[in-house]
């Protein structure tokens, strides 16, 4: 009989396996000489295929756990490496990762109360606390916000459009050129018209152009949905949220703000003012597996008025029978479009409780400070050009006088060698290297080393 992770003997069974996993993670990481495995896709794939062998053998291999974890670690992009800066790919907190293990062991499914008695209550309490971070306490009319747990920004943005459609019927999305691709995909999935796109000449939505679009479109109140961004994926920029909110209110348009990246600034007393206007949105996307240091997935959709969530109500007699609901068993099906859901709220709750607002705010402040330091280092360097000072923790730069082809080639060379992981972004009709700093342990020496690597790989 294969031993189980849950039940009275579960912890005893798991303990030696965890030692195996931790040893394999250590051994795998030791084979890398940087944040990425060397050799590029072909060599990495070959090494993984050799470690895996037959994916479904006739007879099992008791060493499979060690072999495959070590192979995965050896071939991983390590977000904790200071030179891994390409994406919104954070190194998760140890305490959150430990909590995630507990969630896997207990394996609650948040589609009915009898599968997740404590987890369902924990989700209710923590999501409402996070909604209050966005919207504050109940307003004068007694309206209170709420939040749903999602798999990330893409699902949150899709839910935001769905709620708008169900609340108002026909919905026309208006977004800027800087909007996340998931918003356009959501209109396709939901059968909505093609989005109306307004310019973002400086990387952020142009309020004047938005006003013109709202005036030209004029429709029934609420039929227009404006999607603004607080933390673009290319440069970490924040749209002028107060101006956009004022325009939406004047034209009777619904407002959604995609704050998947920038939402973490709410925890920082120093930086939260950059999100002024966030509370005026009807819905807000948050992602705590970015500026929240959670293992994937840890997305949220906050809603200003929890009554909007009535659109998600769904009945399945085996999960939320009417008489069970009337008897007091919580109805969980309206909390997501998914049925089976793991308790991702546990790791979030443990993190919030362990660090508190101050502890999380300190982490936010640290990565923002490192980004500012990196920008200054680039600004003072004679061989590099800085795009602009960072708004959050993303810095765009490029070697002076380099062509776009050279910028792209430098990035790919560093990736193939496994030496550094840099992203790319096209702004002002030029290609830039992108460093998104999400590791609060990154130091000044790491930043200097990253710049030196790029300089050393740039042809002169």
């Amino acid at each position: 009989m294969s031993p189980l992770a849950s039940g009275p003997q579960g912890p005893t069974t798991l303990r030696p396996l965890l030692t195996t996993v931790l040893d394999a993670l250590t051994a795998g990481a030791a084979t890398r000489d940087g944040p990425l495995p060397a050799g590029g896709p072909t060599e990495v794939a070959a090494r993984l295929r050799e470690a895996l062998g037959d994916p479904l053998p006739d007879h099992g291999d008791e060493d499979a756990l060690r072999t495959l974890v070590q192979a995965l670690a050896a071939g991983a992009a390590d977000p904790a490496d200071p030179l891994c800066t390409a994406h919104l790919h954070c190194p998760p907190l140890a305490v959150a990762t430990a909590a995630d293990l507990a969630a896997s062991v207990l394996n609650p499914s948040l589609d009915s109360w009898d599968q997740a008695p404590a987890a369902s209550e924990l989700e209710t309490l923590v999501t409402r606390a996070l909604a209050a971070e966005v919207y504050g306490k109940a307003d004068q009319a007694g309206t209170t916000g709420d939040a749903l747990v999602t798999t990330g920004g893409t699902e949150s943005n899709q839910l935001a459009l769905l709620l708008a459609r169900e609340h108002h019927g026909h919905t026309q999305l208006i977004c800027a050129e800087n909007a996340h691709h998931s918003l356009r995909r959501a209109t396709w999935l939901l059968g909505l018209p093609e989005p109306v796109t307004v310019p973002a000449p400086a990387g952020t939505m142009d309020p004047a152009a938005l006003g013109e679009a709202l005036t030209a479109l004029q429709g029934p109140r609420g039929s227009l949905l404006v999607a603004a961004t607080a933390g673009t994926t290319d440069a970490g920029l924040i749209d002028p949220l107060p101006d956009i909110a004022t325009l939406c209110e004047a034209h009777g348009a619904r407002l959604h703000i995609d704050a998947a990246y920038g939402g973490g600034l709410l925890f920082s007393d120093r930086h939260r003012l950059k999100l002024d206007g966030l509370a005026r949105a009807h819905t807000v996307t948050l992602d705590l597996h970015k500026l929240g240091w959670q293992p994937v997935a840890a997305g949220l959709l906050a809603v200003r008025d929890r009554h909007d969530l009535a659109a998600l109500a769904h009945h399945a007699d085996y999960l939320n029978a009417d008489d069970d609901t009337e008897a007091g068993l919580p109805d969980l099906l309206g909390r997501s479009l998914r049925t089976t859901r793991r308790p991702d709220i546990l790791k979030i709750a443990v993190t919030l409780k362990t660090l508190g607002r101050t502890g999380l705010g300190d982490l936010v402040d640290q990565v923002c400070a490192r980004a500012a330091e990196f920008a200054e280092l680039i600004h003072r360097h004679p061989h590099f050009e800085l795009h602009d000072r960072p708004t959050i923790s993303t810095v765009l730069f490029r070697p002076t006088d380099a062509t776009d082809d050279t910028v792209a080639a430098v990035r790919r060379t560093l990736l193939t060698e496994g030496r550094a992981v840099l992203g790319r972004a096209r702004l002002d009709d030029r290609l830039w290297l992108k460093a998104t700093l999400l590791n609060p342990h990154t130091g000044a020496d790491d930043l200097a080393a990253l710049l030196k690597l790029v300089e050393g790989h740039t042809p002169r």
Side-chain angles (χ1 to χ4, degrees), residues 6 9 42 66 72 125 137 159 174 176 238 270 288 298 303 329 341 347 350 389 404 419 426 447:
S6 55
Q9 299 304 314
T42 301
R66 182 197 61 78
L72 197 66
L125 296 172
K137 305 300 181 183
L159 271 174
I174 307 169
I238 298 175
R270 184 178 303 172
L288 295 182
V303 296
L329 294 183
R341 287 194 298 122
K347 61 196 175 194
V350 167
R389 302 289 177 175
D404 285 357
R419 304 290 300 280
R426 182 166 292 279
L447 301 175

Side-chain angles (χ1 to χ4, degrees), residues 205 319 323 389:
M205 183 184 288
L319 293 173
D323 57 322
R389 302 289 177 175

Side-chain angles (χ1 to χ4, degrees), residues 27 82 138-139 143 172 238 250 287 312 360 371 391 443:
D139 62 21
T143 301
Q172 174 64 64
I238 298 175
D287 245 3
L312 300 180
L360 276 169
T391 300

